[in-house]
Amino acid sequence: MKVFRSPEKLSIAINRIKQNKKRVGFVPTMGALHAGHLSLIKQAVKENNTVVVSIFVNPAQFGPQEDLKKYPRLLKMDLALCRQAGVDFIFLPENKIMYPRGYSTFVNVEGLSEVLCGSSRPGHFRGVATVVAKLFNIVRPDVLYLGQKDAQQAVIIARMIKDLNFPVKVKVLPTVRGNDGVALSSRNAYLSDKEREDAVVLSKALLLAQSLIDNGQRHADRIINRMKELISKKRSARIDYAAVVDLENLMPLKKIKPGCLIALAVKIGKTRLIDNIIIREGSGKWGQNYFSKIKIGKK
Ligand code: AMP
C-alpha cells in the first residue's frame, strides 16, 4: 500500500494504472474508519484492480460552529485497516494542498443541496461537491463507492457526476449498523454511554415507519408524526428533521411510494446524527439496495 500526499504524484501513479486498462475503485473518507467505511473498501477491492482511499477531513464542508477541530483523527489505525483490507493507494492531502491561498472555485449542486441536511448546514454540500470534484480530477476513478447512510450526499454526488460529465459509475452500499441498530458513524465517538442508548431511537423510529408502511399506512405526515412522537420521548433528543422525500429530487412526498427516502437528523445531546431507510414494496428490514435501481448518475 502506497501513501500519497501529493496530488501530482498520485495522478502519475494512476496514469500508469490506466495505461494498463486497469479499473480504479475509489472510496473517499474523512478517516476514523469503521465497519461502514470498510464495507465500501472491501467491495471496491473485490470489484477493481486498484483501490484508492482518500482520508481528508475537508474543512470546506464544515460550518464555522461545527466540529472540524474535534473531528476524530486516527490515522495510524486507518492506515492499518486499509492495508489489511487490500487498499493499493491512500491519498492523504493537507488542507493547504487542496485549498491553497487564493482558492476560489466551488461546485454547487443547486436545489438538492439546500434541503434536509443542507438547510441546517448551509454550505455543507457545496464543500462536499467541491472536494469530490477535485478528487475525481486527481484519482480519475472508474467506480465510486458511497454509503447509503449519507443518502443526500449520494444523490447530490450522482447529480454532479451527471451534470459535469464525470465518467464515473456510482455504487451506493447499505448502511452498516451496530448490534443495537445505530448507524455506524465516526461522530458516534462523541456520544456518552447514555447518549448512545438514546441514539438507538433513530433506527427505532425508522423501523416504526417501516412497520407502519408494511401495515398499509401511506400518509407521510402520519408516519412522520409517529416517528417524531417516539423520538421526543428521549430527553436528550432534539429533532432537526424527519422527512419523507422522493429519492431522485429530495422533494417532500405526501404519500409513500416505492423508492421514497425516509430520512432523519436528530441531535442527541450535542451530537447531530443522521439515518434513513429507502422504502421498497414488501421491503426487507432496511429497504436496502434500492439505490441501485435509481436512475440518476448512471453512465
Ligand atoms: P465519511 O468518512 O463520514 O465522510 O464517510 C465516508 C463514506 O463512508 C461515505 O460514503 C459514507 O456514506 C460512508 N459511510 C459512513 N458511515 C457508513 C455506514 N454506517 N455504513 C455504510 N457507509 C457508511
Side-chain angles (χ1 to χ4, degrees):
M1 187 175 84
K2 265 188 109 167
V3 178
F4 293 86
R5 290 171 189 274
S6 143
E8 291 77 19
K9 288 193 176 144
L10 175 57
S11 281
I12 291 167
I14 298 276
N15 275 344
R16 234 174 265 139
I17 282 157
K18 292 258 177 191
Q19 272 162 16
N20 295 328
K21 300 215 164 24
K22 297 268 164 86
R23 232 159 92 112
V24 176
F26 179 41
V27 185
T29 81
M30 298 208 298
L33 302 183
H34 51 64
H37 298 111
L38 288 175
S39 81
L40 308 183
I41 292 170
K42 284 179 184 157
Q43 190 75 15
V45 168
K46 240 190 248 168
E47 296 177 351
N48 299 274
N49 309 99
T50 301
V51 170
V52 184
V53 171
S54 62
I55 300 176
F56 179 56
V57 184
N58 173 32
Q61 70 188 67
F62 286 79
Q65 309 301 327
E66 292 184 358
D67 55 339
L68 173 62
K69 271 208 178 128
K70 70 165 187 178
Y71 196 85
R73 288 162 173 88
L74 301 161
L75 184 59
K76 252 193 174 168
M77 207 166 78
D78 291 347
L79 293 179
L81 288 169
C82 286
R83 188 170 293 118
Q84 211 172 32
V87 172
D88 301 281
F89 296 161
I90 298 282
F91 183 43
L92 199 65
E94 281 181 44
N95 290 349
K96 62 174 189 260
I97 296 284
M98 293 298 270
Y99 303 109
R101 212 184 223 286
Y103 187 91
S104 322
T105 306
F106 293 88
V107 179
N108 191 30
V109 181
E110 291 180 7
L112 296 176
S113 296
E114 279 113 55
V115 296
L116 303 176
C117 287
S119 68
S120 42
R121 301 187 71 190
H124 169 65
F125 289 114
R126 173 188 188 251
V128 170
T130 300
V131 80
V132 172
K134 283 170 70 67
L135 290 167
F136 281 173
N137 286 330
I138 297 163
V139 177
R140 294 195 294 120
D142 297 291
V143 192
L144 173 73
Y145 294 84
L146 298 171
Q148 188 191 311
K149 203 206 82 172
D150 299 277
Q152 184 176 12
Q153 169 172 286
V155 170
I156 288 171
I157 291 173
R159 185 77 246 171
M160 178 188 77
I161 286 173
K162 199 171 189 194
D163 290 352
L164 297 184
N165 305 94
F166 284 112
V168 181
K169 186 176 172 198
V170 184
K171 292 208 173 178
V172 182
L173 301 189
T175 302
V176 176
R177 298 172 181 283
N179 291 334
D180 54 2
V182 176
L184 298 188
S185 162
S186 307
R187 289 192 167 95
N188 290 348
Y190 302 151
L191 300 170
S192 68
D193 290 348
K194 173 72 177 76
E195 287 172 340
R196 170 79 195 202
E197 274 173 34
D198 289 354
V200 175
V201 80
L202 277 85
S203 53
K204 284 221 166 114
L206 293 168
L207 282 175
L208 169 64
Q210 180 71 72
S211 77
L212 291 169
I213 293 163
D214 288 345
N215 287 309
Q217 180 58 269
R218 292 291 177 269
H219 292 281
D221 54 352
R222 290 188 199 156
I223 293 166
I224 291 170
N225 286 342
R226 289 287 302 275
M227 291 192 337
K228 285 185 168 170
E229 213 176 84
L230 181 73
I231 296 166
S232 303
K233 286 188 183 148
K234 300 286 175 198
R235 281 185 46 205
S236 67
R238 202 153 47 78
I239 300 167
D240 179 358
Y241 65 78
V244 176
V245 299
D246 185 306
L247 186 56
E248 291 187 31
N249 59 24
L250 303 181
M251 285 293 117
L253 289 172
K254 284 205 166 89
K255 284 270 174 75
I256 297 296
K257 63 170 191 179
C260 72
L261 176 74
I262 305 189
L264 280 178
V266 178
K267 263 190 149 183
I268 300 288
K270 288 188 172 148
T271 307
R272 187 175 177 283
L273 301 176
I274 56 172
D275 201 350
N276 67 76
I277 51 171
I278 296 167
I279 299 304
R280 296 183 298 178
E281 211 72 77
S283 78
K285 201 174 172 195
W286 297 104
Q288 293 173 350
N289 293 332
Y290 199 88
F291 249 107
S292 60
K293 300 201 177 65
I294 297 298
K295 285 183 214 74
I296 45 166
K298 287 272 164 68
K299 272 209 281 193

